[in-house]
Amino acid sequence: MFVWSYGKTIFTSPASPSNEFCLSKADKEQYEKEERPESQQEILRRAAKDLPIYTTTASRAIRYCDRCQLIKPDRCHHCSACDICVLKMDHHCPWVNNCVGFSNYKFFLLFLMYSLLYCLFVAATVLQYFIKFWTNELPDTHAKFHVLFLFFVAAMFFISILSLFSYHCWLVGKNRSTIETFRAPTFRNGPDKNGFSLGCSKNLREVFGDEKKYWLLPIFTSLGDGCNFPTRLVIMDPEQVTVSSQNEPAKSSGANQPFPPTRPLSESQNRLLASDSQWVESGPEDENVKSGTKKHIIVSLES
């Protein structure tokens, strides 16, 4: 299982945005001719009006990759090492020489888990010989130094992998990526690190799938397509979102920049959001976000 998970993590290609996020030939030519950022943003907003995009840049602009020449989906980032845009990018891992993202994040987690168990197994089986070494009960041969080396290597790798695995388990429970932990995604009501969190159990299902019998197997069972993610901050009627976004003044460059309208949720998203008007996530930060979101919606509709 360790080798299988490691191989899947290495050889699974990072998922890239679909062609619907690429600009048309006419829009691309017009975008390249325009020199003013305001005009370029107008072209991008027109191209993104039917795309499932809920996040923007910190300056309320459409997230566009000049290198790949496409509009970035939510949670998508450009990897300078792979030179492509990666869906739900977490980080570029030098240990596997690959980007860890939507297509192989489950494999990466299983690789950490089985590595942890493997190091624990090695350390546990060598422990008795390690104790004999310190009590001088081990025969005086060169093998005793091999035992000493093997135990310390297994123990050190176990401690380091345990910290990394614990951190990523925490990320899965919060439905965040490593990038989102350091730079929160920006929604209509501002940056929010917990914007994509649906509660611990549903966050687990989003990564590992609905079938628990496949959770420990390195086969792809994650929900969704990597381009569109359910978020608790925009669970409302699409017409309300459109109306409120049209009435909301922009917060950058002094021009009106309406937020891209939403489109109906996919089947996997509806399954995650069904029969849940509240979330497991709790705490002062989440309560402030919930109350702030409700007030924001009411004010926008009344205006």
Side-chain angles (χ1 to χ4, degrees):
M1 296 298 289
F2 164 75
V3 176
W4 187 8
S5 302
Y6 185 54
K8 293 286 285 186
T9 306
I10 294 176
F11 296 110
T12 300
S13 301
S16 299
S18 57
N19 293 331
E20 64 175 334
F21 291 90
C22 298
L23 295 179
S24 63
K25 185 177 180 180
D27 288 339
K28 188 181 300 183
E29 292 177 353
Q30 187 178 0
Y31 179 86
E32 293 175 350
K33 291 179 181 178
E34 292 289 346
E35 297 181 356
R36 296 188 306 150
E38 295 81 3
S39 301
Q40 290 180 336
Q41 277 298 307
E42 184 61 34
I43 296 173
L44 295 179
R45 286 196 299 272
R46 186 172 62 249
K49 65 180 181 179
D50 295 326
L51 297 178
I53 298 176
Y54 299 127
T55 59
T56 62
T57 63
S59 60
R60 311 295 294 176
I62 300 295
R63 300 170 63 245
Y64 181 74
C65 180
D66 292 308
R67 184 78 174 179
C68 299
Q69 295 185 333
L70 54 82
I71 298 173
K72 294 180 182 179
D74 294 338
R75 318 184 81 177
C76 176
H77 299 276
H78 185 87
C79 176
S80 57
C82 298
D83 198 25
I84 58 173
C85 283
V86 180
L87 296 179
K88 196 186 176 184
M89 179 178 175
D90 188 88
H91 68 285
H92 184 88
C93 182
W95 297 103
V96 299
N97 193 30
N98 197 5
C99 263
V100 177
F102 175 76
S103 61
N104 62 350
Y105 188 59
K106 177 190 174 183
F107 308 146
F108 177 74
L109 291 173
L110 293 179
F111 162 63
L112 292 180
M113 184 187 71
Y114 288 122
S115 300
L116 193 67
L117 295 177
Y118 185 58
C119 291
L120 181 62
F121 172 78
V122 172
T125 53
V126 178
L127 180 61
Q128 57 176 327
Y129 301 102
F130 179 76
I131 296 175
K132 290 181 179 180
F133 171 82
W134 285 106
T135 56
N136 294 323
E137 297 179 9
L138 200 65
D140 191 12
T141 61
H142 293 291
K144 65 180 183 180
F145 296 104
H146 299 165
V147 170
L148 183 66
F149 175 78
L150 185 60
F151 178 80
F152 274 114
V153 169
M156 287 188 295
F157 270 95
F158 174 81
I159 295 173
S160 60
I161 294 176
L162 178 62
S163 61
L164 182 61
F165 180 67
S166 301
Y167 174 68
H168 278 280
C169 287
W170 179 78
L171 289 179
V172 171
K174 295 291 185 180
N175 204 341
R176 300 179 195 171
S177 65
T178 302
I179 296 177
E180 292 167 352
T181 302
F182 294 98
R183 186 171 66 249
T186 302
F187 295 87
R188 291 184 63 243
N189 58 331
D192 185 5
K193 290 183 178 181
N194 296 319
F196 292 104
S197 180
L198 305 174
C200 186
S201 61
K202 292 189 176 183
N203 294 340
L204 283 173
R205 287 168 52 194
E206 189 170 316
V207 175
F208 291 95
D210 290 326
E211 299 290 337
K212 293 184 178 180
K213 60 184 178 180
Y214 298 124
W215 280 15
L216 300 180
L217 296 178
I219 56 178
F220 185 80
T221 55
S222 301
L223 300 180
D225 56 3
C227 296
N228 190 10
F229 295 91
T231 168
R232 61 187 177 86
L233 298 182
V234 289
I235 304 174
M236 63 184 80
D237 187 86
E239 294 182 0
Q240 294 180 359
V241 178
T242 306
V243 171
S244 60
S245 62
Q246 291 175 350
N247 293 333
E248 180 184 1
K251 297 182 180 179
S252 63
S253 68
N256 289 332
Q257 295 185 0
F259 198 86
T262 61
R263 74 179 184 183
L265 299 174
S266 64
E267 180 181 353
S268 63
Q269 292 172 333
N270 284 326
R271 193 162 64 248
L272 283 173
L273 297 174
S275 68
D276 233 12
S277 58
Q278 73 277 359
W279 297 272
V280 177
E281 300 288 336
S282 60
E285 181 181 355
D286 291 341
E287 294 299 327
N288 292 335
V289 171
K290 292 179 184 177
S291 59
T293 305
K294 293 178 180 178
K295 292 179 181 178
H296 175 78
I297 296 171
I298 295 173
V299 172
S300 300
L301 290 175
E302 290 178 351
S303 61

